[in-house]
């Protein structure tokens, strides 16, 4: 397939130049980060790392850290983008967290990805690295019996360097503003519902990744313009190398081969989901703040759609909604796959 540059060789050269540019941006972007607690010397050779950019997420942090510790993450590398809610003080007290602070523009840093690429290059080389937002929670096959190290060992033995996970928006039954989640509480005790279908998939010929859209955000906030709805495809777990770089959030990477996380011959490769705990009672205030800051993609067009929908009193629950149980349910629905990992 011919890429954006026409001839396949031209496309390869363009992707190589783009990768080098992104790596250089990451090196420069790292200069905006000031270490508040650098414990990276404690990282062991086989440790799985988790990387996060956050702003004013103090209420989420206890559950987030405990969830990923329970899966097998051994060290967290976190960037605080000028929070004012005390989250930085909380994180500085955590022995398995290295924390950096910046008041630089999230938008100018490619929505934080320059910072993530900087830390991945500096500390992630040779490690399986999980790059997520503080409201994203990885679910994968056999997770109730096998830690992340079992998954990464199997991926490595299978010659795989990256692992995909579709973003699965979770929501409450009833008004979003009533879905209160206390500090340290499991958000999925409150936002327990999801769309079992209503997803579209396309292939990006240039980068080779799949582009997935749909779910409750498309039907509730973007029904007038479905193609503008947020992308749900993510590749959050990667065995990092200094030659790698995230291109757009965790939707796609370079080199291009890292994006080929599916079977083009009709079979199934292993995949997971990221349960997305976005739609809680704090969502309205967060949307208003982000709309005002205009630090997100497309001049915060996504948050404008959320703001308008909330004013209309949108309810994400519908008769087709499913209540979440476990990873086996998601496999039965075709939302994740164990592939050949028996």
């Amino acid at each position: 397939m011919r890429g954006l540059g026409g001839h396949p060789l031209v496309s390869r050269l363009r992707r190589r130049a783009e990768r080098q540019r992104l790596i250089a941006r990451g090196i420069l972007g790292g200069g905006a980060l000031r270490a508040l607690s650098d414990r990276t010397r404690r990282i062991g050779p086989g440790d799985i790392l988790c990387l996060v950019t956050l702003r004013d997420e103090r209420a989420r942090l206890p559950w987030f850290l405990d969830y990923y510790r329970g899966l097998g993450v051994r060290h967290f590398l976190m960037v605080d983008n000028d929070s004012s809610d005390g989250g930085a003080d909380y994180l500085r007290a955590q022995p398995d967290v290295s924390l950096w602070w910046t008041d630089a523009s999230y938008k100018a840093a490619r929505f934080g990805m320059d910072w993530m690429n900087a830390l991945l290059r500096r500390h992630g080389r040779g490690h399986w690295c999980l790059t997520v937002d503080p409201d994203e929670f990885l679910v994968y096959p056999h997770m109730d019996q096998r830690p992340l190290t079992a998954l990464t060992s199997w991926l490595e033995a299978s010659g795989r360097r990256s692992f995909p996970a579709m973003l699965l928006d979770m929501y409450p039954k009833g008004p979003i503003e009533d879905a209160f989640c206390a500090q340290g509480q499991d958000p999925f005790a409150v936002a327990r519902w999801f769309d079992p279908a209503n997803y579209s998939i396309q292939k990006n010929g240039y980068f080779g990744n799949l582009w997935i859209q749909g779910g409750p955000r498309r039907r509730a906030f973007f029904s007038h313009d479905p193609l503008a709805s947020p992308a749900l495809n993510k590749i959050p777990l990667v065995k990092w190398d200094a030659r790698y770089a995230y291109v757009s959030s965790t939707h796609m990477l370079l080199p291009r081969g890292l994006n080929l996380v599916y079977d083009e011959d009709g079979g199934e490769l292993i995949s997971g989901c990221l349960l997305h705990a976005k739609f809680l009672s704090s969502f309205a205030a967060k949307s208003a703040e982000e709309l005002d800051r205009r630090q997100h993609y497309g001049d915060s067009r996504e948050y404008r759609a959320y703001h308008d929908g909330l004013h209309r009193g949108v309810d994400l629950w519908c008769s087709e909604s499913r209540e979440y149980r476990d990873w086996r349910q998601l496999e039965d629905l075709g939302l994740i796959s164990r592939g050949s990992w028996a």
Side-chain angles (χ1 to χ4, degrees):
M1 179 180 293
R2 291 179 181 267
L4 296 177
H7 193 279
L9 177 59
V10 175
S11 296
R12 286 199 295 272
L13 292 174
R14 287 188 63 182
R15 285 191 294 266
R16 181 180 299 173
E18 175 70 0
R19 176 164 54 89
Q20 292 170 344
R21 184 183 73 85
L22 293 174
I23 290 172
R25 281 190 63 116
I27 293 171
L28 292 173
L33 304 179
R34 178 164 66 87
L36 297 184
S37 57
D38 185 350
R39 301 183 175 99
T40 52
R41 285 178 295 179
R42 300 181 184 180
I43 296 174
D47 285 353
I48 295 176
L49 311 181
C50 180
L51 292 94
V52 186
T53 297
L54 57 91
R55 176 184 169 87
D56 291 335
E57 297 285 4
R58 172 66 178 86
R60 295 185 185 273
L61 294 176
W63 178 266
F64 178 89
L65 293 173
D66 285 347
Y67 182 88
Y68 281 111
R69 286 165 178 155
L71 292 186
V73 169
R74 289 293 170 261
H75 203 88
F76 298 84
L77 301 114
M78 309 184 85
V79 174
D80 184 299
N81 189 198
D82 200 23
S83 295
S84 59
D85 65 348
D89 290 336
Y90 174 80
L91 291 172
R92 290 175 73 174
Q94 306 302 309
D96 54 355
V97 173
S98 290
L99 179 66
W100 289 262
W101 175 90
T102 182
D103 61 356
S105 167
Y106 179 75
K107 183 177 182 179
R110 292 193 313 113
F111 316 108
M113 294 317 296
D114 288 340
W115 304 330
M116 294 293 94
N117 279 337
L119 294 181
L120 284 162
R121 180 179 175 82
R122 191 182 304 166
H123 302 292
R125 287 178 286 180
H127 292 271
W128 282 92
C129 297
L130 180 67
T131 305
V132 292
D133 291 338
D135 59 4
E136 295 175 350
F137 297 84
L138 182 66
V139 171
Y140 59 89
H142 304 297
M143 64 178 293
D144 52 347
Q145 298 175 327
R146 304 176 191 177
L148 264 177
T149 49
L151 173 62
T152 56
S153 294
W154 184 85
L155 290 169
E156 202 153 351
S158 303
R160 302 279 302 281
R161 298 172 292 165
S162 52
F163 177 78
M166 188 184 87
L167 196 66
L168 189 66
D169 288 319
M170 308 293 292
Y171 49 86
K173 186 176 183 179
I176 296 172
E177 58 267 28
D178 292 343
F180 176 73
C181 183
Q183 182 171 293
Q185 182 183 5
D186 176 0
F188 307 115
V190 180
R192 296 192 55 79
W193 302 82
F194 66 95
D195 281 15
N198 181 36
Y199 300 101
S200 62
I201 304 177
Q202 294 181 324
K203 181 179 177 181
N204 181 323
Y206 183 68
F207 287 106
N209 62 302
L210 298 180
W211 199 256
I212 305 174
Q213 294 173 289
R217 282 190 281 178
R218 182 167 68 179
R219 62 178 171 81
F221 298 109
F222 294 91
S223 59
H224 62 290
D225 188 8
L227 293 179
S229 63
L232 305 178
N233 50 286
K234 298 233 173 180
I235 306 176
L237 183 61
V238 179
K239 178 71 178 290
W240 204 258
D241 185 279
R243 299 168 298 148
Y244 298 170
Y246 275 113
V247 177
S248 174
S249 180
T250 55
H251 300 310
M252 51 200 177
L253 304 99
L254 287 172
R256 185 176 185 269
L258 297 170
N259 301 323
L260 304 181
V261 290
Y262 50 89
D263 191 331
E264 295 187 281
D265 297 323
E268 287 189 355
L269 295 182
I270 191 169
S271 64
C273 274
L274 286 169
L275 303 189
H276 194 200
K278 192 179 193 75
F279 298 109
L280 298 167
S281 59
S282 58
F283 178 63
K286 189 77 170 176
S287 295
E289 178 189 2
E290 295 305 331
L291 182 59
D292 183 62
R293 292 179 68 232
R294 298 187 183 278
Q295 286 288 296
H296 286 267
Y297 179 78
D299 198 28
S300 295
R301 176 181 59 191
E302 180 180 337
Y303 282 89
R304 189 174 299 111
Y306 298 150
H307 184 75
D308 293 344
L310 290 170
H311 272 278
R312 295 195 309 270
V314 67
D315 187 345
L316 298 182
W317 192 90
C318 68
S319 60
E320 300 301 316
S321 299
R322 296 286 182 91
E323 189 172 11
Y324 177 71
R325 294 197 310 270
D326 55 23
W327 70 266
R328 291 179 178 82
Q329 175 196 31
L330 301 183
E331 183 184 40
D332 291 342
L333 292 168
L335 297 175
I336 72 173
S337 173
R338 70 181 82 184
S340 58
W341 194 31

